[in-house]
Amino acid sequence: MDSQTSQSSQASPSPHSFQVDLRGLVDLLSHHLYSSPKVYLRELLQNAVDAVTARRAEEPDAPARVRLFAADGGLRVEDSGVGLTEADVHDLLATIGRSSKRAEGLQAVRSDFLGQFGIGLLACFVVAERIRVVSRSARTPDAPPVEWTARDDGSYTVRTLPHEERPEPGTTVHLVARAGAGEWLAEPRVLALARDFGSLLPYDVRVGDEAVTDLPAPWDRAYASPADRRVALARHCHELFGFTPLDAIGLDVPLAGIRGVAYVLPSAVSPVQRAGHRVHLKGMLLTERGEQLLPDWAFFVRCVLDTDSLRPTASRESLYEDETLAAVREALGERVRSWLTGLAAGDPERLSAFLAVHHLGVKALARHDTDMLRTMLPWLPFETTDGRLSLEEFAQRHPVVHFTRTVEEYRQVAPIASAQGVGVINGGYTYDSELVEALPSVRPGTVVAELDADTVTAHLDTVAPADELALSGFLAAARAKLDPLGCDVVLRSFHPLSVPALHLDDRAARHEQARADAEEQADDLWAGILGSLRGSAPRARLVLNHLNPLIRRISSLRDPELIGTATESLYGQALLMAQRPLRPADSALLNRSFIGLLEWATHRDAAHGQSSDRQGATDE
């Protein structure tokens, strides 16, 4: 028998309860869960509003008041809410993690509450050393008022009070500031925080005699005209975000329980910069940094809205990523998209002003949205050899839409291509090449082609065979000089005449050059590996302009050394004109050719001076 009892005892050990160090928990809240001590006031407001909501669910005509009084280093918060009995106090306030919104009878209306985690009151310990709660239940009118007093060391006391201590249902919370936290309970700070957090709350909330709520929200108010609405919303944006918007976009999504406005930034921002949106949950400010609210492409707007459908995280300072948030993000993105298409259809001047600042954001959207690309086609600006044009205008002028994938390639060929009548779009900027390649999908029949070195060379006029044969010696010397640099020399005739030489290459040629440079600097093992990767890509080429007077003079030189120095100078000048990054070998070549030409020029002048001296002596 004893043996069986012993075995049973070993099999079913008695459970133990966790011991919670409240000071450690408060430290965790203040340093890791909440971003700032200011959230204590949001939690107090939240508890008061939830208590009023709970009472009104059972008594629709019950008063709905929340009052805050700051004085003598403390804060008192009174509400006309549902209140608590002594049993409720023991069950709810003294049990960490249990929310009153899980209490029996409230589950059905839980969606109407702001807080659902049962840790809100603990946030007050971030600024208070003592919390005193006096409450009287509206559900049990005969129950006496109850007082719950807790300290930040984890101790608390509960006692009942005479009825006259609290004649009406509701709750009063008293805070006594902890050392160094008194400023958080000062009346100016309390008023500012209350207005920041609670301006859209549905009940009468005041700090002393000062009203906190400001309803209806600016986007829900009636205005005499669209112009008045625009002015009022611009003022609201400046108060919240500190800028005057280009425009305001209504965010009315009834199915998602969302009302608000998106303000268009007046200056360009980086697409990778995360936007900070203000999100209110059932009137209470949830976060000022709601980054997940809009699609990434909509980085040109800042939003402020109220919602009753999104889930907060435990700290209630950000949004929980779930299917609902994803659906809201898509719906809000559609609202911004509709605003853009509306401008394109009815207000081209405002659209042009917007695109002058935020064309990058619209391009980001258009590359994934064929309808948006079709709508924005006449408006989106691109850098071209014909100036700054839309794709539609450019395609109307040129039967073939040529483009480059990098800015460097465009700078190489733009002057020459323009002189030859070849239109080129600079696709080197963010999203531009993708949009040009997508052009045939929204403009059937359009021919799009990437412009490479071969295409440019093919558009340049060839030199008469007799003329090229007469310059064969010069060309051979020039090619021998540039061959170690992986560059060929070609003779062509092209405009403008002022350009003596043109450096052309493409990505394949640059890749092969980079491989060759790496092979030259590598040890035997890596040189062998890189050598096996040698490709058959065309090399870079230096195109000499046979129409240029300087090229004609250089080609008539007979000194091979001088021809080599001049060729190196032309090569370096062409690289600089193309704004290409210089390799160490290129920099050395530029220095060498510059010094060589100086030595040749000074040597010729010195020789000419000596000849003049001798001639003068003979005359004497």
Side-chain angles (χ1 to χ4, degrees):
M1 184 76 173
D2 291 342
S3 175
Q4 292 178 350
T5 302
S6 176
Q7 291 176 358
S8 176
S9 176
Q10 291 177 358
S12 303
S14 58
H16 298 278
S17 297
F18 282 103
Q19 300 299 311
V20 178
D21 180 355
L22 187 59
R23 286 180 175 171
L25 185 58
V26 169
D27 181 72
L28 178 67
L29 292 175
S30 61
H31 291 95
H32 300 283
L33 184 62
Y34 296 123
S35 62
S36 166
K38 69 180 182 180
V39 298
Y40 89 92
L41 191 66
R42 184 194 63 197
E43 300 296 343
L44 287 173
L45 283 176
Q46 178 176 287
N47 288 341
V49 169
D50 284 345
V52 172
T53 301
R55 184 177 180 185
R56 283 210 151 186
E58 302 175 6
E59 303 176 47
D61 296 330
R65 298 187 306 272
V66 178
R67 298 290 185 266
L68 297 87
F69 303 94
D72 302 325
L75 177 65
R76 185 173 86 255
V77 182
E78 299 179 354
D79 68 66
S80 58
V82 69
L84 301 171
T85 64
E86 183 177 1
D88 293 333
V89 167
H90 284 289
D91 191 38
L92 300 175
L93 298 186
T95 305
I96 294 172
R98 176 173 296 178
S99 172
S100 62
K101 272 63 77 178
R102 298 189 182 94
E104 183 179 356
L106 296 183
Q107 188 66 35
V109 293
R110 183 180 173 194
S111 62
D112 294 331
F113 294 101
L114 301 173
Q116 300 175 6
F117 296 94
I119 57 175
L121 195 59
L122 288 179
C124 296
F125 281 121
V126 174
V127 297
E129 66 176 11
R130 182 162 61 91
I131 302 174
R132 177 173 171 259
V133 178
V134 177
S135 186
R136 181 168 183 174
S137 175
R139 292 197 186 114
T140 314
D142 295 335
V146 60
E147 177 192 72
W148 176 83
T149 304
R151 296 184 175 276
D152 60 1
D153 61 2
S155 63
Y156 72 92
T157 59
V158 179
R159 68 187 180 112
T160 58
L161 301 175
H163 285 278
E164 56 270 17
E165 288 283 335
R166 176 101 195 178
E168 298 294 331
T171 301
T172 302
V173 179
H174 302 261
L175 301 186
V176 176
R178 67 190 307 149
E183 62 172 315
W184 292 103
L185 303 185
E187 183 172 6
R189 177 66 68 91
V190 170
L191 178 59
L193 293 178
R195 284 177 171 167
D196 194 37
F197 285 121
S199 62
L200 301 184
L201 289 174
Y203 304 134
D204 180 15
V205 182
R206 296 177 181 272
V207 176
D209 296 327
E210 297 287 338
V212 168
T213 53
D214 185 19
L215 296 176
W219 51 85
D220 285 331
R221 295 172 189 168
Y223 296 98
S225 67
D228 289 344
R229 174 182 172 83
R230 191 175 297 118
V231 169
L233 290 180
R235 186 184 308 113
H236 177 246
C237 176
H238 195 275
E239 292 171 355
L240 282 185
F241 298 115
F243 65 84
T244 301
L246 287 177
D247 206 350
I249 308 169
L251 301 178
D252 184 5
V253 188
L255 291 178
I258 285 178
R259 295 281 297 170
V261 62
Y263 293 115
V264 182
L265 292 166
S267 56
V269 294
S270 169
V272 299
Q273 180 178 330
R274 303 296 292 180
H277 307 294
R278 287 177 64 93
V279 182
H280 295 257
L281 181 61
K282 302 179 182 70
M284 182 73 74
L285 178 66
L286 180 72
T287 180
E288 298 174 281
R289 302 184 300 275
E291 296 180 349
Q292 323 103 298
L293 199 60
L294 286 178
D296 290 340
W297 56 260
F299 55 83
F300 50 83
V301 298
R302 294 291 180 271
C303 296
V304 53
L305 55 82
D306 189 23
T307 176
D308 58 14
S309 63
L310 299 178
R311 290 175 57 194
T313 59
S315 67
R316 291 187 290 279
E317 294 187 278
S318 60
L319 297 171
Y320 187 82
E321 186 69 51
D322 57 9
E323 293 180 358
T324 302
L325 179 57
V328 166
R329 184 185 300 121
E330 183 177 348
L332 295 182
E334 182 59 36
R335 287 293 302 116
V336 177
R337 184 186 289 108
S338 298
W339 170 78
L340 283 171
T341 55
L343 287 186
D347 200 339
E349 290 186 4
R350 286 172 64 198
L351 178 62
S352 297
F354 166 75
L355 290 177
V357 179
H358 295 299
H359 59 275
L360 195 59
V362 180
K363 287 180 178 180
L365 172 59
R367 69 189 180 118
H368 295 303
D369 190 323
T370 302
D371 291 337
M372 180 57 65
L373 177 58
R374 184 179 292 108
T375 301
M376 292 291 109
L377 201 58
W379 306 102
L380 289 175
F382 289 78
E383 182 180 357
T384 78
T385 49
D386 293 350
R388 200 159 181 81
L389 299 176
S390 70
L391 290 181
E392 178 67 27
E393 292 176 292
F394 189 85
Q396 289 175 357
R397 297 185 182 187
H398 300 278
V400 178
V401 177
H402 289 102
F403 72 98
T404 63
R405 291 192 182 275
T406 68
V407 175
E408 289 78 10
E409 290 172 353
Y410 178 80
R411 288 170 177 165
Q412 281 181 298
V413 303
I416 309 303
S418 179
Q420 308 306 310
V422 179
V424 185
I425 295 175
N426 184 357
Y429 297 115
T430 306
Y431 310 132
D432 282 8
S433 62
E434 298 171 71
L435 293 175
V436 174
E437 289 180 300
L439 188 56
S441 66
V442 296
R443 198 177 189 275
T446 303
V447 179
V448 174
E450 183 176 354
L451 189 69
D452 55 20
D454 289 333
T455 305
V456 176
T457 305
H459 280 82
L460 305 180
D461 294 334
T462 58
V463 178
D467 292 339
E468 188 162 0
L469 182 62
L471 299 178
S472 58
F474 161 73
L475 293 175
R479 287 166 181 155
K481 196 66 176 179
L482 296 186
D483 183 68
L485 297 174
C487 183
D488 293 331
V489 177
V490 178
L491 188 65
R492 292 288 188 273
S493 296
F494 56 87
H495 293 273
L497 300 179
S498 58
V499 178
L502 176 66
H503 181 272
L504 293 177
D505 63 1
D506 52 28
R507 283 171 294 156
R510 289 196 294 274
H511 176 75
E512 174 60 21
Q513 184 61 55
R515 186 210 57 78
D517 292 342
E519 179 183 357
E520 183 178 343
Q521 299 174 12
D523 56 27
D524 293 341
L525 174 61
W526 281 108
I529 295 174
L530 292 169
S532 67
L533 299 177
R534 183 179 295 110
S536 58
R539 304 203 306 173
R541 65 201 69 174
L542 182 67
V543 184
L544 302 179
N545 188 359
H546 187 54
L547 301 180
N548 180 266
L550 177 62
I551 294 298
R552 288 182 176 273
R553 289 195 296 270
I554 293 175
S555 63
S556 65
L557 295 174
R558 295 292 179 263
D559 183 352
E561 184 176 349
L562 185 55
I563 290 175
T565 300
T567 302
E568 288 180 334
S569 298
L570 290 170
Y571 173 80
Q573 188 263 354
L575 283 180
L576 294 175
M577 289 296 293
Q579 301 184 41
R580 292 291 309 279
L582 300 180
R583 299 170 296 167
D586 298 330
S587 299
L589 175 145
L590 278 171
N591 291 331
R592 184 171 63 248
S593 62
F594 178 70
I595 297 300
L597 289 177
L598 282 179
E599 289 180 347
W600 177 80
T602 54
H603 176 74
R604 185 187 63 172
D605 288 346
H608 179 73
Q610 292 175 1
S611 175
S612 299
D613 291 343
R614 287 194 297 269
Q615 182 64 43
T618 302
D619 293 341
E620 290 177 0

